[in-house]
Amino acid sequence: MTQALAFPVPNPLGNIDQYVQAVNRYPLLTEEQEHDLALRLKNDNDLDAARQLVLSHLRLVVSIARNYLGYGLPHADLIQEGNIGLMKAVKRFDPDRGVRLVSFAIHWIKAEIHEYIVRNWRLVKIATTKAQRKLFFNLRSLRGEGSSLSPEDVQGIAGKLGVKPEEVVEMETRFAGGEVAIDRGSDEDDERMAPIDWLADDSAEPVEVLATAQAERLADEGLKGALASLDERSRNIVARRWLVEDNPATLHELAAEYGVSAERIRQIEAKAMQKMRLALSA
């Protein structure tokens, strides 16, 4: 049996750049080393072998996650979701199939990242079927840079991806639509009209002011009550993930802080959010 390379136990890191530098220092495995480690995991449930297989492929997750930065989600969270996919791949990897782990893991890493993006990206409302998700993740590459789709292009993409032409048009509109500033910038001409100048301001009406203040008070009290129903750890996880404006904590950071896996942190978070929803609806 070939002696596997030594992998140090990873330490908690301060930021994403340090993390990327750290994972790039983990050595790559030869095919023989990878096969031996996978056999140890499969036959003996050797967790140290699983750890070495995961650590040697963390750079792959970083590389794949970088391709999804255009969706506006935190790079650290994309990497963390990809790492979960990598762990699933390692668990299911069969060394007797004659393929390298890297080829097998790519599918699981991308699948986990795709699920995370679809759950969190606010514009994805039509991506509910497998075909529509395929459209969402492939349209940018199929349409080309800076080009608009002709009717023939729409028909061709719809046929290739198995969706309706109108779904292609709708998703293309979502991608192509630009944002328009509602207000004038500080350096703009004062005489130039901006969209905000065309909108009526109803917020100064006394009835609206009172209704808004009451709604904010009830929402604040409801949120406090829902948070109070959680245990201290769950409350801290929810607050650090969702109730801070700057630098919300990632699954990876909280996992390191509590000494558990990122998957466990996500389970605690999901259970806490469900409990809060029930408390708010009561």
Side-chain angles (χ1 to χ4, degrees), residues 5 48 73 75 90 99 114 125 136 171 188 191 206 215 238 244 246 248:
L5 299 175
D48 184 64
L73 296 170
H75 192 193
V90 168
V99 298
H114 286 185
K125 299 301 183 185
F136 172 58
M171 189 65 78
E188 295 285 348
E191 296 183 359
V238 170
V244 294
D246 298 323

Short mmCIF file of all heavy atoms in Angstrom, two decimals, residues 5 48 73 75 90 99 114 125 136 171 188 191 206 215 238 244 246 248:
data_model
loop_
_atom_site.label_atom_id
_atom_site.label_comp_id
_atom_site.label_asym_id
_atom_site.label_seq_id
_atom_site.Cartn_x
_atom_site.Cartn_y
_atom_site.Cartn_z
N LEU A 5 0.09 11.11 1.61
CA LEU A 5 0.75 12.33 2.06
C LEU A 5 0.17 12.77 3.40
O LEU A 5 -0.97 12.47 3.74
CB LEU A 5 0.54 13.43 1.01
CG LEU A 5 1.12 13.14 -0.37
CD1 LEU A 5 0.73 14.26 -1.32
CD2 LEU A 5 2.62 12.99 -0.31
N ASP A 48 -9.95 9.26 8.73
CA ASP A 48 -8.77 10.02 8.37
C ASP A 48 -8.51 9.96 6.87
O ASP A 48 -8.07 10.94 6.26
CB ASP A 48 -7.54 9.49 9.12
CG ASP A 48 -6.31 10.34 8.85
OD1 ASP A 48 -6.31 11.53 9.23
OD2 ASP A 48 -5.36 9.82 8.22
N LEU A 73 -24.04 36.23 -4.60
CA LEU A 73 -24.03 35.54 -3.32
C LEU A 73 -22.61 35.50 -2.76
O LEU A 73 -21.64 35.52 -3.52
CB LEU A 73 -24.58 34.13 -3.47
CG LEU A 73 -26.05 34.07 -3.91
CD1 LEU A 73 -26.45 32.65 -4.26
CD2 LEU A 73 -26.96 34.61 -2.81
N HIS A 75 -18.99 34.68 -1.69
CA HIS A 75 -18.06 33.67 -2.18
C HIS A 75 -17.84 32.58 -1.13
O HIS A 75 -17.78 31.39 -1.46
CB HIS A 75 -16.72 34.34 -2.53
CG HIS A 75 -15.80 33.46 -3.29
ND1 HIS A 75 -14.46 33.76 -3.48
CD2 HIS A 75 -15.99 32.26 -3.91
CE1 HIS A 75 -13.88 32.80 -4.18
NE2 HIS A 75 -14.78 31.88 -4.45
N VAL A 90 -17.19 12.26 -1.77
CA VAL A 90 -16.21 11.37 -1.14
C VAL A 90 -16.91 10.19 -0.48
O VAL A 90 -16.44 9.04 -0.57
CB VAL A 90 -15.37 12.16 -0.10
CG1 VAL A 90 -14.54 11.21 0.77
CG2 VAL A 90 -14.44 13.15 -0.82
N VAL A 99 -12.45 5.55 -12.19
CA VAL A 99 -12.43 6.99 -12.48
C VAL A 99 -11.80 7.71 -11.31
O VAL A 99 -11.83 7.22 -10.18
CB VAL A 99 -13.85 7.53 -12.74
CG1 VAL A 99 -14.47 6.87 -13.96
CG2 VAL A 99 -14.74 7.35 -11.52
N HIS A 114 -25.66 24.79 -7.11
CA HIS A 114 -26.87 25.15 -7.86
C HIS A 114 -28.07 25.23 -6.93
O HIS A 114 -28.88 26.16 -7.02
CB HIS A 114 -27.13 24.10 -8.96
CG HIS A 114 -26.20 24.21 -10.12
ND1 HIS A 114 -26.33 23.45 -11.26
CD2 HIS A 114 -25.10 24.98 -10.33
CE1 HIS A 114 -25.36 23.76 -12.11
NE2 HIS A 114 -24.61 24.67 -11.57
N LYS A 125 -37.49 32.94 -10.19
CA LYS A 125 -38.84 32.55 -9.82
C LYS A 125 -39.40 31.49 -10.76
O LYS A 125 -40.32 30.77 -10.40
CB LYS A 125 -39.77 33.78 -9.87
CG LYS A 125 -39.35 34.88 -8.88
CD LYS A 125 -39.34 34.39 -7.45
CE LYS A 125 -38.99 35.52 -6.50
NZ LYS A 125 -38.85 35.06 -5.11
N PHE A 136 -31.57 28.30 -16.63
CA PHE A 136 -31.00 29.35 -15.78
C PHE A 136 -29.48 29.31 -15.77
O PHE A 136 -28.82 30.34 -15.90
CB PHE A 136 -31.56 29.18 -14.36
CG PHE A 136 -30.92 30.07 -13.34
CD1 PHE A 136 -30.93 31.44 -13.48
CD2 PHE A 136 -30.32 29.54 -12.22
CE1 PHE A 136 -30.35 32.27 -12.54
CE2 PHE A 136 -29.74 30.35 -11.26
CZ PHE A 136 -29.76 31.72 -11.43
N MET A 171 -36.38 34.64 -19.07
CA MET A 171 -35.11 34.57 -18.37
C MET A 171 -34.09 35.51 -18.98
O MET A 171 -33.30 36.15 -18.29
CB MET A 171 -34.58 33.14 -18.38
CG MET A 171 -33.37 32.93 -17.48
SD MET A 171 -33.73 33.14 -15.73
CE MET A 171 -34.53 31.58 -15.38
N GLU A 188 -24.76 65.33 -10.23
CA GLU A 188 -25.65 65.50 -11.38
C GLU A 188 -26.16 66.94 -11.44
O GLU A 188 -26.21 67.67 -10.44
CB GLU A 188 -26.84 64.53 -11.29
CG GLU A 188 -26.44 63.08 -11.40
CD GLU A 188 -26.08 62.69 -12.81
OE1 GLU A 188 -26.36 63.49 -13.73
OE2 GLU A 188 -25.50 61.61 -12.99
N GLU A 191 -30.97 70.55 -12.48
CA GLU A 191 -32.16 70.74 -13.30
C GLU A 191 -32.58 69.47 -14.01
O GLU A 191 -33.65 69.42 -14.62
CB GLU A 191 -31.88 71.84 -14.34
CG GLU A 191 -31.61 73.21 -13.72
CD GLU A 191 -31.40 74.27 -14.77
OE1 GLU A 191 -31.45 73.92 -15.98
OE2 GLU A 191 -31.20 75.45 -14.41
N PRO A 206 -50.47 61.68 7.82
CA PRO A 206 -50.53 61.26 9.23
C PRO A 206 -50.98 59.81 9.40
O PRO A 206 -50.43 59.08 10.23
CB PRO A 206 -51.54 62.24 9.85
CG PRO A 206 -51.44 63.46 8.99
CD PRO A 206 -51.19 62.96 7.61
N ALA A 215 -46.85 49.20 12.46
CA ALA A 215 -46.38 47.97 11.81
C ALA A 215 -44.94 47.66 12.19
O ALA A 215 -44.59 46.50 12.45
CB ALA A 215 -46.51 48.12 10.29
N VAL A 238 -28.76 32.52 14.23
CA VAL A 238 -29.70 33.29 13.40
C VAL A 238 -29.32 34.76 13.36
O VAL A 238 -29.31 35.40 12.30
CB VAL A 238 -31.14 33.13 13.94
CG1 VAL A 238 -32.09 34.10 13.23
CG2 VAL A 238 -31.63 31.70 13.73
N VAL A 244 -27.34 40.99 11.01
CA VAL A 244 -26.26 41.98 10.96
C VAL A 244 -26.13 42.50 9.55
O VAL A 244 -26.30 41.77 8.58
CB VAL A 244 -24.92 41.36 11.43
CG1 VAL A 244 -24.98 40.97 12.89
CG2 VAL A 244 -24.53 40.15 10.59
N ASP A 246 -23.40 44.24 8.21
CA ASP A 246 -22.05 44.14 7.65
C ASP A 246 -21.42 42.81 8.04
O ASP A 246 -21.44 42.40 9.21
CB ASP A 246 -21.17 45.29 8.16
CG ASP A 246 -21.70 46.65 7.74
OD1 ASP A 246 -22.21 46.75 6.61
OD2 ASP A 246 -21.61 47.59 8.54
N PRO A 248 -22.04 39.38 7.57
CA PRO A 248 -22.72 38.28 8.27
C PRO A 248 -21.85 37.04 8.30
O PRO A 248 -21.05 36.80 7.40
CB PRO A 248 -23.98 38.06 7.42
CG PRO A 248 -23.64 38.61 6.07
CD PRO A 248 -22.72 39.76 6.32
#
